[in-house]
Amino acid sequence: MNPIAATVSKYFTESFSTRPALYFSPGRINLIGERVDYNDGFVMPAAINKGVYYAIAENGTNEIHFYSMDFEEWLSVGIDDVKKMTGWKNYVLSVVNEFLLLGCKIKGFNCVFAGDIPRGSGMSSSAAVEGGLAFALNEMLNTGLNRAELALLCQRAEHNFPNVNCGIMDQFANMMGKKDNVLLLDCRSMEHQYFPLHLEGYKIVLVNSKVHHTLASGEYNIRRQRCEDGLSIIKTKLSIQSFRDITRVEDLQGYKNNIPEKVYNCCLFVIEEIARAKKAAELLQQDNLIEFGKLMYATHEGLSKLYEVSCEELDFLVELASQNSNVIGSRLMGGGFGGCTINIVANEGIDQFIQETSKAYQKRFTIIPEAYIVETANGTEPIAVTL
Ligand code: GLA
């Protein structure tokens, strides 16, 4: 059994003298399609083998007891007392709250969890926390929600108590991921396809800038608001539903004088990123990684200059990667303002890439970055108990 799963299970059994059910809930990467999930665009995420492990069992009372092993903190609440709090507590309680809002009769339970996604790294530890608990409660309460419905429940949970107005990408990847595949998700219709991830000769390497981002900081919601503001101005003239109905950038240019500059730049990025993600899906199917990689660089440029969600450290990492002949694509991943870059690197150059990046980054920022070679994984699932 995975060592974290074993630790979580052991802690649970020692604390509560019963055997729990165990679950693994993955984080995600996103190959391309950033900040377009809440703009009816296309995204290409995959669940990964880093995530959150849950041990959970009913306790026959009206109380819920959580223990976060990572934060070394307990939380005990009565079922009638579920309310907004701060930090990790907000994420678990918000999931419970969504089940209550559905009218489910929650039973008291005990829950221990821990994970290996570095905080604020852009791999969506929040969706992993939400997804594992939602999946477990769905089984425990026999709610009968399917995976797509659970993803939507988790998205609502993130909107509600933590107040992050996220799109659906992270929660969808968390529930629907398939090992060795990436998803192509149409965030308007929720239609999705799986593409086998053929990275012949290459691997995906994440480099963690260790700059801590928190989506709850409000900047995430501000970008979303800019898009909504821009769209509503455009809609006064054009009969469109969302940005993806604008297929030519020239159609936006006519609005340059009517839309505040920052808002205009966000709109421009979104239109370009939706087109890039569509193109990228074709390239991936053709196994054309070189051209795919060029689109990743273009995404970074847009996220940095137009959408303004990068930072000096991430720009430095991407610039460094672009100078390395073993790297074919690099960009910041996820919500931005810190966290990881995602890089496609030739197998033979990975060690050198990691060493050189680490050295140059430390020299420039006196921060020791971390690198992870990513493997894809299935969406949230029960773990067979072998103890
Ligand atoms: C976060 C959000 C997602 C998505 C990405 C950016 O991870 O949770 O919904 O918007 O940022 O693409």
Side-chain angles (χ1 to χ4, degrees):
M1 196 193 292
N2 169 285
I4 306 177
T7 309
V8 161
S9 174
K10 186 163 175 270
Y11 197 91
F12 186 100
T13 309
E14 283 170 7
S15 305
F16 302 111
S17 312
T18 48
R19 282 286 182 88
L22 298 179
Y23 299 90
F24 172 64
S25 180
R28 62 105 190 89
I29 52 167
N30 182 28
L31 291 188
I32 203 156
E34 218 63 272
R35 295 285 189 155
V36 293
D37 58 347
Y38 53 77
N39 280 309
D40 277 0
F42 299 89
V43 294
M44 271 187 143
I48 56 171
N49 62 342
K50 280 182 178 296
V52 175
Y53 296 81
Y54 268 100
I56 188 161
E58 283 176 39
N59 61 18
T61 72
N62 281 328
E63 293 211 326
I64 305 172
H65 302 286
F66 288 104
Y67 183 66
S68 161
M69 294 195 76
D70 297 330
F71 288 90
E72 297 180 11
E73 263 181 341
W74 283 96
L75 164 65
S76 295
V77 286
I79 289 163
D80 300 329
D81 257 349
V82 170
K83 59 174 191 301
K84 203 171 165 157
M85 293 185 82
T86 53
W88 66 268
K89 296 171 183 160
N90 241 349
Y91 289 85
V92 288
L93 290 178
S94 200
V95 169
V96 176
N97 184 51
E98 288 305 321
F99 280 90
L100 290 169
L101 289 175
L102 286 179
C104 299
K105 198 161 164 13
I106 303 273
K107 301 171 194 160
F109 62 88
N110 301 325
C111 175
V112 175
F113 67 104
D116 59 358
I117 305 180
R119 257 164 261 157
S121 62
M123 287 183 248
S124 202
S125 54
S126 61
V129 167
E130 291 150 7
L133 181 59
F135 193 95
L137 289 183
N138 190 45
E139 287 203 333
M140 204 169 90
L141 304 169
N142 281 318
T143 321
L145 299 175
N146 64 32
R147 284 177 176 270
E149 287 166 335
L150 284 173
L152 287 166
L153 180 145
C154 291
Q155 185 195 22
R156 293 197 298 277
E158 180 131 356
H159 289 181
N160 212 338
F161 287 1
N163 201 16
V164 178
N165 242 334
C166 65
I168 190 62
M169 170 169 79
D170 301 357
Q171 291 78 9
F172 199 88
N174 170 271
M175 283 293 162
M176 306 293 286
K178 220 192 238 184
K179 187 160 170 48
D180 300 324
N181 285 268
V182 290
L183 278 156
L184 173 64
L185 171 65
D186 176 339
C187 299
R188 180 188 274 180
S189 64
M190 300 277 280
E191 277 170 21
H192 57 281
Q193 299 171 44
Y194 292 95
F195 291 170
L197 190 57
H198 290 140
L199 292 176
E200 299 307 318
Y202 293 89
K203 286 202 171 54
I204 294 176
V205 182
L206 304 184
V207 177
N208 190 349
S209 66
K210 298 277 200 67
V211 176
H212 193 71
H213 84 190
T214 153
L215 294 183
S217 71
E219 285 295 325
Y220 183 92
N221 293 354
I222 290 172
R223 295 305 179 285
R224 184 166 184 169
Q225 189 59 49
R226 283 185 193 160
C227 295
E228 282 167 16
D229 292 350
L231 189 63
S232 64
I233 297 172
I234 298 167
K235 274 180 165 176
T236 58
K237 301 258 167 52
L238 282 185
S239 128
I240 53 162
Q241 196 185 330
S242 54
F243 288 109
R244 84 193 230 185
D245 302 320
I246 303 177
T247 47
R248 296 170 340 138
V249 165
E250 300 85 79
D251 292 341
L252 181 72
Q253 278 160 358
Y255 293 88
K256 206 153 186 175
N257 297 329
N258 310 355
I259 302 181
E261 192 185 357
K262 283 188 183 304
V263 174
Y264 181 88
N265 287 345
C266 284
C267 299
L268 178 59
F269 170 79
V270 169
I271 293 168
E272 290 179 345
E273 182 70 354
I274 291 175
R276 265 194 296 268
K278 273 160 83 173
K279 179 82 193 144
E282 286 167 28
L283 292 169
L284 199 65
Q285 275 172 310
Q286 295 157 8
D287 290 332
N288 189 343
L289 283 183
I290 301 290
E291 290 303 313
F292 188 97
K294 289 183 188 161
L295 295 181
M296 291 172 71
Y297 284 118
T299 292
H300 184 80
E301 180 76 8
L303 286 168
S304 178
K305 303 273 160 45
L306 295 174
Y307 220 77
E308 296 184 292
V309 289
S310 186
C311 57
E312 214 190 328
E313 292 84 350
L314 290 170
D315 288 345
F316 179 87
L317 287 173
V318 172
E319 175 61 29
L320 205 62
S322 73
Q323 291 161 11
N324 186 321
S325 58
N326 286 310
V327 182
I328 56 175
S330 175
R331 61 177 197 80
L332 78 84
M333 187 181 74
F337 305 109
C340 287
T341 59
I342 175 168
N343 306 273
I344 303 186
V345 190
N347 289 344
E348 63 277 13
I350 292 178
D351 289 346
Q352 177 232 23
F353 167 67
I354 294 175
Q355 276 163 25
E356 287 184 8
T357 305
S358 179
K359 208 167 142 205
Y361 190 76
Q362 272 185 68
K363 190 163 171 230
R364 173 75 180 76
F365 296 105
T366 55
I367 303 173
I368 304 175
E370 270 172 24
Y372 323 103
I373 298 172
V374 166
E375 280 175 38
T376 56
N378 287 332
T380 297
E381 59 186 4
I383 301 172
V385 180
T386 51
L387 280 182

